[in-house]
């Protein structure tokens, strides 16, 4: 039985936007594991009630049900040890977790500022109300206020990415000579943006743009089925 | 012939303060390689002229002379493959380089703001003039202006360390279950501070303080010979 991945979707099934779901999607491609996508909207949480919690991604692999993107990556690494490694061993796993935390706290908040209004625009009608209410409460301001002045937010994000830019002067991927989980954790913010927005996240001549393209070209199968509007 | 490490020193030989030299010192301890320290002051560059460049650290191992902390770590990993690994393989090396870039651009500038005046105070008289001139030019302001308002800088540094703090909720070291080069790159900023300053870098109840102590307790030999004033 094929692996099934429950992923967050916009009103259109092909706009899969959750960066955490993207991490799993790209990891499954890395491992060469085919899977079926089950799109889930914010207001369709009943679809994943069987997992015992309320958040996507949820992965179902035969008798195994795993939620949380990091837990799923660890599960895949353990369950499929003969497939290409996502972490490259114990030290790689520890350091990939750091890179993931860094992406969570640097890339994702920066991207959110840039795409929040476009994201809202693409959600299913019921999801729009849910998203607005929960996010405005979290941000302490309206979505319109939160998304105002994108040029300033792009500049701040660009500055916060400087350590990563420096790294790319010396190697092709976060993971080293080939992409690994750390790259998927970081690129997931760009996939999220591409799914729902035409905002520029980094300029085309930024080394980070070239890295993004290198990573995604290696995972073209996972991208093709999810980003057909973003080409 | 023992390995020789040329390290930046204050007026007192035992105040070895360069974070880049600390990375090598801790890496040599990690590998279990004894070494002799040759203290070098800013105005004693002639001591390392033989290396063909002007910056410490410089490592001399038999016929090999290597400068640049990252290049030295790679050299040690290659030259002593049977000793404990600093990187844990190819992926670990790639990710450790990222953690190092992050430390370079997050921890070191934040610590510099906090300790700059104490550091200047402990330099040899000739070095004080050199340091003031070069750093005031680099910072675009006086050392006194640069080091003003430490509480504000401590708060900013604390905030920028949040991804690292999150990581430490799930594992003991950047490198995973045991310290590696990434930990030495990050802790070097704390060693730098301890060598010349009594400023609080992170509060005692911060998980990062506990991590710092865990790392340095594993490298007690390297610490004891360099930080006897900081105990």
């Amino acid at each position: 039985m094929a692996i099934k991945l429950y992923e967050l979707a916009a009103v259109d099934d092909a706009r899969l936007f959750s960066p955490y779901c993207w991490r799993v999607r790209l990891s499954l491609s890395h491992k060469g594991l085919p899977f079926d996508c089950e799109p889930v909207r914010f207001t369709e949480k009943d679809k994943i009630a069987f997992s015992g919690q309320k958040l996507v991604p949820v992965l179902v692999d035969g008798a195994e049900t795993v939620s949380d993107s990091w837990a799923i990556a660890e599960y895949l690494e353990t369950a499929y040890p003969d497939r290409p490694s996502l972490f490259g061993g114990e030290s790689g796993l520890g350091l990939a977790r750091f890179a993931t935390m860094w992406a969570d706290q640097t890339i994702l908040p920066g991207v959110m500022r840039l795409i929040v209004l476009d994201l809202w625009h693409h959600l299913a009608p019921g999801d729009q109300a849910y998203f607005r209410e929960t996010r405005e409460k979290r941000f302490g301001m309206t979505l319109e206020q939160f998304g105002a002045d994108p040029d300033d937010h792009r500049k701040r994000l660009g500055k916060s990415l400087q350590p990563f830019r420096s790294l790319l002067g010396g190697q092709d991927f976060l993971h080293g000579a080939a992409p690994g989980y750390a790259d998927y954790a970081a690129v997931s913010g760009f996939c999220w943006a591409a799914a729902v927005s035409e905002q520029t996240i980094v300029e085309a001549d930024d080394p980070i743009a070239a890295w993004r393209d290198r990573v995604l070209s290696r995972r073209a199968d996972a991208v093709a089925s999810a980003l057909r509007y973003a080409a």
Side-chain angles (χ1 to χ4, degrees), chain A:
Chain A
M1 198 170 73
I3 290 172
K4 192 170 208 172
L5 178 62
Y6 290 80
E7 297 180 87
L8 203 56
V11 66
D12 187 319
D13 279 354
R15 294 191 189 268
L16 298 167
F17 63 87
S18 158
Y20 303 103
C21 296
W22 269 101
R23 291 172 186 182
V24 178
R25 170 173 279 272
L26 296 167
S27 297
L28 285 163
S29 162
H30 182 101
K31 287 274 182 194
L33 296 167
F35 65 98
D36 294 327
C37 164
E38 180 66 40
V40 182
R41 286 166 195 88
F42 283 119
T43 44
E44 295 176 337
K45 295 274 170 87
D46 51 312
K47 277 194 186 177
I48 56 166
F50 71 91
S51 72
Q53 53 85 59
K54 295 176 176 183
L55 300 173
V56 286
V58 173
L59 181 101
V60 179
D61 183 14
E64 296 290 333
T65 295
V66 194
S67 58
D68 180 88
S69 54
W70 179 265
I72 293 172
E74 286 196 302
Y75 165 77
L76 293 174
E77 190 76 342
T78 306
Y80 299 95
D82 299 335
R83 303 286 183 125
S85 173
L86 287 163
F87 300 113
E90 203 53 45
S91 309
L93 186 142
L95 288 159
R97 189 188 268 130
F98 173 65
T100 301
M101 298 279 181
W102 174 81
D104 285 350
Q105 297 183 27
T106 303
I107 299 179
L108 300 192
V111 170
M112 178 61 113
R113 286 270 186 179
L114 288 168
I115 68 166
V116 64
L117 295 173
D118 293 334
L119 172 55
W120 177 84
H121 173 76
H122 282 295
L123 295 178
D127 275 16
Q128 287 185 328
Y130 169 87
F131 184 81
R132 182 177 286 278
E133 185 186 339
T134 55
R135 270 50 178 183
E136 291 192 344
K137 191 172 171 187
R138 184 186 300 171
F139 303 148
M141 61 184 93
T142 66
L143 298 185
E144 286 71 17
Q145 288 168 327
F146 189 76
D149 203 354
D151 290 343
D152 181 56
H153 291 300
R154 188 180 300 106
K155 201 172 152 190
R156 284 168 191 266
L157 175 61
K159 196 176 166 198
S160 72
L161 295 175
Q162 189 51 44
F164 186 28
R165 205 171 280 120
S166 301
L167 178 81
L168 294 172
Q171 63 192 47
D172 277 354
F173 299 98
L174 265 166
H175 192 72
Y181 187 78
D183 293 278
Y184 307 141
V187 88
S188 68
F190 293 85
C191 296
W192 176 30
V196 295
S197 176
E198 296 188 2
Q199 275 281 358
T200 298
I201 307 301
V202 293
E203 300 296 338
D205 62 352
D206 190 318
I208 293 172
W211 157 82
R212 175 197 62 203
D213 296 346
R214 277 197 298 278
V215 175
L216 296 182
S217 71
R218 306 280 190 110
R219 306 276 73 86
D221 55 332
V223 174
S225 58
L227 282 186
R228 58 188 156 93
Y229 293 92

